[in-house]
Amino acid sequence: MARLVMKFGGTSVANIERIRNVARHVKREVEAGHQVAVVVSAMAGKTNELVGWCREASALHDAREYDAVVASGEQVTAGLLAIVLQDMGIWARSWQGWQIPILTDGAHGAARITGADGSRIIQHFEERNEVAVVTGFQGIHQPTNRIATLGRGGSDTSAVALAAAIHADRCDIYTDVDGVYTTDPRIVPQARRLDRVSFEEMLEMASLGAKVLQVRSVELAMTHNVKTFVRSSFDDPADPKPGTLICDEEDIVEQQIVTGIAYSKDEAQITLRRVADKPGVAAAIFVPLADANINVDMIIQVVSDDTTTTDITFTVPAADYERAKTILEKARGEINYATLQGATDVVKVSAIGVGMRSHAGVAAKAFKALADKGINIRAITTSEIKFSVLIDAAYTELAVRTLHSLYGLDKA
Ligand code: ADP
Ligand code: ASP
Ligand code: MG
């Protein structure tokens, strides 16, 4: 007997027919003798609709009430799955975050899980042989007794946190693709499914835009050593495939130099032209942004045409773009720049692979390949196991495909 967490995303629970299909997957594991906790997302599109209603109600809505609204999508699917399971003769009950409880901090809308108590669920496994159906995406901020949500894609994190809390043998993340691919299979049909991917690489891929797993879920899987698979809910419930295992680097036999390509459209570029080239300027620019909690990612500085001043280009999350511009316009006196230019039609394309630690020239090869396709690089960042380039959004697919084949990732 094993203890499992099975997580199903939005498309997997999109309607009652899909929920019945989920129940068949659960039934298979229960009949194999396993103890099962299921984590569900809201039906596909539901969270977007709820977010839209909050915005329509008020542009400046109370984040605690936003959470009260958007957490409701998961409550519906958890109850429905419990009903369908019972109807199939499997004893099940739904649990909301606060009933377990899954504890969070007070950062409403993007809360972090601070603890999860698995004891009640385990007790129900032991005493009642009961399947637990748990709402993803939500927990409770105990000091204020308010519901909090974990940020978009947060049900993945709920699942891994729950798996750690109940000491599950495995956490299966069921989604609409049958594993983690070398890049988003929706934009590159040649993408290959990976049997295994290391925690470090998955962390980078998720941070750099591969939304198949929420970043925080990978962090938790890594720190709590949760055996996590990404697999498809669209497989035949009677004959499922294993999917992709997220594991330690040492457990991967055939290591590539580059494992995957990711892209993110959630970036915006800001360029300050003709900034005085003297000490303290970078601080004048970046301290006010940091104080406003705006994360600056790529930074490049080049001497301007007149050679006495410099141009500084950097990126911020697209959601913070307007705020960042306002802050910089206010600080214009101290920074002393000639013009501020911005662009939101940019995309960050990244290549990830632990093999980069031991191979030189991996990024240089990409710069040439992109140049050959006429793609202009606006900014670059590199770190130990990845590099990223900022380019015009119009070239997203071309750039991703170019890098994907450059590093030999296309399927045979
Ligand atoms: P769910 O609703 O099940 O949580 P998501 O939409 O959040 O599903 O994540 C699955 C999607 O992630 C896939 O449909 C795919 O388009 C996208 N994706 C992006 N990058 C990758 C990748 N490298 N491997 C697999 N899927 C990816
Ligand atoms: N329903 C939430 C969202 O769409 C959480 C999730 O699906 O993981 O972001
Ligand atoms: Mg998701």
Side-chain angles (χ1 to χ4, degrees):
M1 183 208 71
R3 189 176 283 166
L4 309 180
V5 169
M6 305 172 74
K7 179 258 170 179
F8 294 89
T11 17
S12 305
V13 294
N15 52 46
I16 302 296
E17 197 35 55
R18 297 292 311 150
I19 291 177
R20 273 194 226 291
N21 172 70
V22 164
R24 288 184 204 110
H25 281 282
V26 175
K27 187 165 191 260
R28 176 190 71 238
E29 303 294 7
V30 170
E31 287 179 347
H34 303 318
Q35 295 180 335
V36 180
V38 190
V39 172
V40 285
S41 289
M43 290 179 178
K46 194 54 177 180
T47 309
N48 286 345
E49 180 181 48
L50 296 169
V51 170
W53 286 346
C54 290
R55 291 200 180 127
E56 195 182 329
S58 165
L60 291 173
H61 47 258
D62 181 334
R64 294 161 299 188
E65 302 308 343
Y66 165 95
D67 275 351
V69 174
V70 300
S72 67
E74 275 71 12
Q75 184 171 340
V76 171
T77 45
L80 288 172
L81 178 58
I83 291 173
V84 169
L85 283 167
Q86 289 176 13
D87 194 50
M88 286 183 178
I90 294 168
W91 188 240
R93 73 153 274 188
S94 67
W95 297 83
Q96 289 167 49
W98 63 270
Q99 293 171 314
I100 294 180
I102 291 175
L103 306 177
T104 72
D105 64 15
H108 286 277
R112 281 169 79 94
I113 293 179
T114 54
D117 178 358
S119 59
R120 290 198 179 105
I121 288 185
I122 293 173
Q123 193 184 353
H124 284 235
F125 285 155
E126 310 280 340
E127 291 173 5
R128 311 181 189 197
N129 219 353
E130 182 179 86
V131 171
V133 186
V134 178
T135 51
F137 187 48
Q138 53 160 279
I140 184 164
H141 179 234
Q142 243 170 4
T144 53
N145 204 23
R146 310 274 324 231
I147 291 174
T149 65
L150 309 177
R152 301 307 305 271
S155 299
D156 300 326
T157 303
S158 309
V160 176
L162 189 67
I166 65 171
H167 315 290
D169 298 284
R170 211 169 76 213
C171 180
D172 287 340
I173 308 276
Y174 287 83
T175 181
D176 53 6
V177 284
D178 59 358
V180 177
Y181 277 69
T182 47
T183 192
D184 188 344
R186 286 188 204 290
I187 78 156
V188 180
Q190 294 88 343
R192 269 188 298 120
R193 192 182 61 78
L194 299 161
D195 283 335
R196 293 176 171 221
V197 61
S198 70
F199 288 119
E200 287 86 353
E201 289 169 324
M202 194 62 237
L203 204 53
E204 291 286 4
M205 281 170 67
S207 316
L208 295 168
K211 68 165 189 163
V212 59
L213 287 177
Q214 199 195 36
V215 178
R216 184 79 183 118
S217 71
V218 187
E219 281 171 11
L220 280 182
M222 189 156 105
T223 47
H224 294 278
N225 215 353
V226 176
K227 194 169 181 191
T228 304
F229 286 86
V230 173
R231 52 197 298 191
S232 174
S233 73
F234 288 78
D235 283 351
D236 177 0
D239 183 24
K241 293 178 203 63
T244 301
L245 172 65
I246 323 294
C247 62
D248 286 324
E249 208 179 306
E250 296 76 54
D251 298 330
I252 299 176
V253 189
E254 264 181 76
Q255 200 55 262
Q256 308 287 321
I257 296 174
V258 170
T259 303
I261 311 292
Y263 66 94
S264 163
K265 295 191 170 161
D266 301 329
E267 306 278 321
Q269 176 190 333
I270 294 178
T271 299
L272 300 177
R273 296 239 180 257
R274 292 202 293 285
V275 183
D277 198 2
K278 59 171 203 258
V281 171
I285 299 170
F286 297 117
V287 170
L289 294 176
D291 288 346
N293 244 330
I294 296 177
N295 249 325
V296 172
D297 178 21
M298 314 172 105
I299 304 177
I300 53 165
Q301 180 173 350
V302 284
V303 175
S304 7
D305 302 339
D306 62 15
T307 70
T308 60
T309 60
T310 164
D311 291 347
I312 297 185
T313 294
F314 53 91
T315 60
V316 295
D320 294 327
Y321 176 62
E322 292 298 336
R323 225 156 46 86
K325 276 204 318 194
T326 309
I327 290 168
L328 293 167
E329 271 151 16
K330 267 205 205 123
R332 184 167 183 169
E334 291 106 81
I335 306 171
N336 202 357
Y337 57 85
T339 51
L340 184 159
Q341 291 166 345
T344 50
D345 53 348
V346 291
V347 64
K348 182 169 72 176
V349 177
S350 310
I352 298 105
V354 291
M356 283 188 210
R357 283 196 202 114
S358 47
H359 287 80
V362 180
K365 212 170 138 187
F367 304 154
K368 167 132 196 350
L370 294 172
D372 289 347
K373 299 273 179 190
I375 301 173
N376 182 40
I377 299 174
R378 293 161 170 254
I380 300 170
T381 48
T382 64
S383 73
E384 210 189 13
I385 66 161
K386 60 108 177 162
F387 70 84
S388 306
V389 293
L390 190 74
I391 60 167
D392 287 354
Y395 293 110
T396 309
E397 295 196 21
L398 180 60
V400 172
R401 288 195 178 138
T402 302
L403 299 189
H404 196 265
S405 34
L406 179 71
Y407 295 115
L409 299 176
D410 289 353
K411 68 177 157 219

